[in-house]
Amino acid sequence: MKDLRFKFLIGIAICLIAFCSIGNAQTPAATADAQMQQWRDAKFGLFLHWGLYSQAAGDWKGKPYKGNEHFMIYEKLSLKEYGSLAKDFNPTSFDAGKWVKAAKQAGMKYIIITSKHHDGFAMFNSHTNDYNIVKQTPFKRDPLKELADSCKAYGMKLGFYYSLGRDWEDPDVATDWPTKGARSNVVDYPNEDAKDFSKYFERKVKPQVKQLLSEYGPVSVIWFDTPERISKPQSEELYAMVKSLQPNCVVNNRVGNGLGDFKVSEQQITDKTDNQPWESCITMSKGWGYNKHDTEWKSPELIVRQLVEVVCKGGNLLLNIGPKGDGTFPPQAIERLKAVGKWMNINSEAIYGTRPWMVAGEQISEVALSSSAIKIDVDNDATSTAILPDIYFAAKGKVIYVFARSWKEPAINIKSISADKFTVVKVTLLGAKTAVKWEQNKNGLNCSVPFVLPDEIPVYVFKVQLK
Ligand code: FHN
């Protein structure tokens, strides 16, 4: 009898396990979509451009150089001349935990770091190419390994930037933009026609990308760049390699040839809402790599305005810092991360996990914002630097988050939430202890609060609960 009962219990257990596993068995497409939704929910990441150019920090032979992180080709340097930076590159102040904590406190959910930029210098211990930080510098440590460990410790997702179509160390990387050879190393390798991308692809790209995906723990994003000369089969092979080694890793569309899981908008914010996964990568200052002469730091208010605009249009913001050659963040970056983090501490529920609402935003003042009113920062950055009051919307279920950007008045009328279209049941102001006085009519939702001034970022969020 006992034996029978035991067999019966085993049968029940097997059925239960089977049922649960069926419940969880997702098709590849379902898991891919879940990955992208998770990536879309994260909204805010830190981009880090760190390499030998950081050591030069804006000067070459005592004079400011041209081209920032591209200065090797702008100053027409040989690999030997540029590579001489390695002997002094010793970022002993590098502390991966400090970087990750600073990003986390700013409300960032993922970090993308340059594993190898156009100069071809690997910021990790590449087994297949000695032109790297462990083999060529007195530092001898692998900062990407240390960063991976810290990301794991602090629950931060990690991704790697990898320059595909430009590599000034490898002899087989030709370029043709804006003109033939314009973005190539023509000092050591002058004959563009003799260059065979496939040799570089097999010799350097594949083994390095494979190593990054095999030896640094979970990788959330591979962020390829400049895919100009890669063939479609090569893009397909690379994309398949990423997915086979790290099925949960997402790939940007700069893997080339129309592939990739999300679109990249560089130094720009799309003018319309886009419900397909996209990310805007924007510099906190003027350039991507550290440059001591770079004084064009965006204000915390402008950074938050851009985060809000990107999120309300359906995108993620990848905000860039160029760490210094000593391994620390520039003080201007640290102070901005802290300021943005204070704003996120109050308002992050309106950012994470939201999706665009039926309209992206509306103007507060009746005055039409003529294009001339929006000063476009032509320096390397096509995002608007104009600080004009306006409203943006994001949605999460029955809640509409209304971002009043650079709003200075005690009352605001939100035309898009009019009584003939929606029934509002509750309105609060995130972070405020004071109640919001509100009234809804056919002209909109009118809200007023005793004016609450946060420290320095006048971007307020009304949480509007709809019926
Ligand atoms: O040339 C690079 C540049 O240095 C930087 O890495 C940006 C980041 O998106 N990508 C290329 C320019 O499109």
Side-chain angles (χ1 to χ4, degrees), residues 47 49 69-70 117-118 161 166 223 225-226 254 264 266 281 288:
F47 208 176
H49 275 71
E69 69 279 356
H70 295 202
H117 202 257
H118 305 338
Y161 164 109
R166 295 177 202 166
W223 210 99
D225 203 3
T226 58
R254 291 188 178 177
V264 169
E266 178 173 319
C281 57
W288 297 99

Side-chain angles (χ1 to χ4, degrees), residues 15 54 62 67 84 88 90 102 115 126 139 163 209 246 262 267 269 319 345 393 449 463:
C15 293
S54 316
S84 68
D88 302 318
N90 190 11
S115 65
S126 173
F139 189 57
S163 174
V209 173
Q246 297 247 7
F262 65 91
Q267 298 281 43
I269 299 174
L319 181 64
N345 282 343
F393 300 104
V449 286
K463 182 174 182 178

Side-chain angles (χ1 to χ4, degrees), residues 195-299:
K195 297 175 182 175
D196 177 350
F197 185 91
S198 297
K199 285 184 185 159
Y200 155 67
F201 185 71
E202 294 301 326
R203 169 175 56 228
K204 189 166 184 179
V205 175
K206 282 169 59 177
Q208 286 192 329
V209 173
K210 185 170 183 185
Q211 182 182 345
L212 289 166
L213 289 161
S214 310
E215 299 181 11
Y216 292 82
V219 177
S220 297
V221 183
I222 290 283
W223 210 99
F224 289 113
D225 203 3
T226 58
E228 292 97 3
R229 306 274 294 217
I230 191 169
S231 70
K232 190 165 173 64
Q234 287 165 338
S235 298
E236 287 164 344
E237 183 180 359
L238 218 40
Y239 183 83
M241 178 205 282
V242 175
K243 297 296 181 177
S244 67
L245 291 169
Q246 297 247 7
N248 294 325
C249 181
V250 295
V251 180
N252 72 344
N253 68 345
R254 291 188 178 177
V255 63
N257 294 293
L259 278 80
D261 301 313
F262 65 91
K263 289 175 283 191
V264 169
S265 171
E266 178 173 319
Q267 298 281 43
Q268 300 200 17
I269 299 174
T270 60
D271 54 9
K272 290 190 181 60
T273 295
D274 184 348
N275 270 305
Q276 290 308 308
W278 65 277
E279 177 187 74
S280 183
C281 57
I282 299 176
T283 51
M284 195 187 272
S285 59
K286 177 176 177 181
W288 297 99
Y290 176 66
N291 186 324
K292 69 168 85 92
H293 306 298
D294 184 347
T295 56
E296 294 181 33
W297 291 86
K298 292 178 174 67
S299 67

Side-chain angles (χ1 to χ4, degrees), residues 3 6 37 61 81 89 116 118 135-136 155 218 237 250 287 290 331 357 361 363 370 377 434:
D3 190 33
F6 179 70
Q37 294 314 317
K61 292 186 177 160
E81 285 174 300
F89 189 35
K116 183 208 72 160
H118 305 338
K135 303 276 192 342
Q136 302 296 327
E237 183 180 359
V250 295
Y290 176 66
W357 190 45
Q363 287 149 12
S370 68
D377 175 355
T434 47

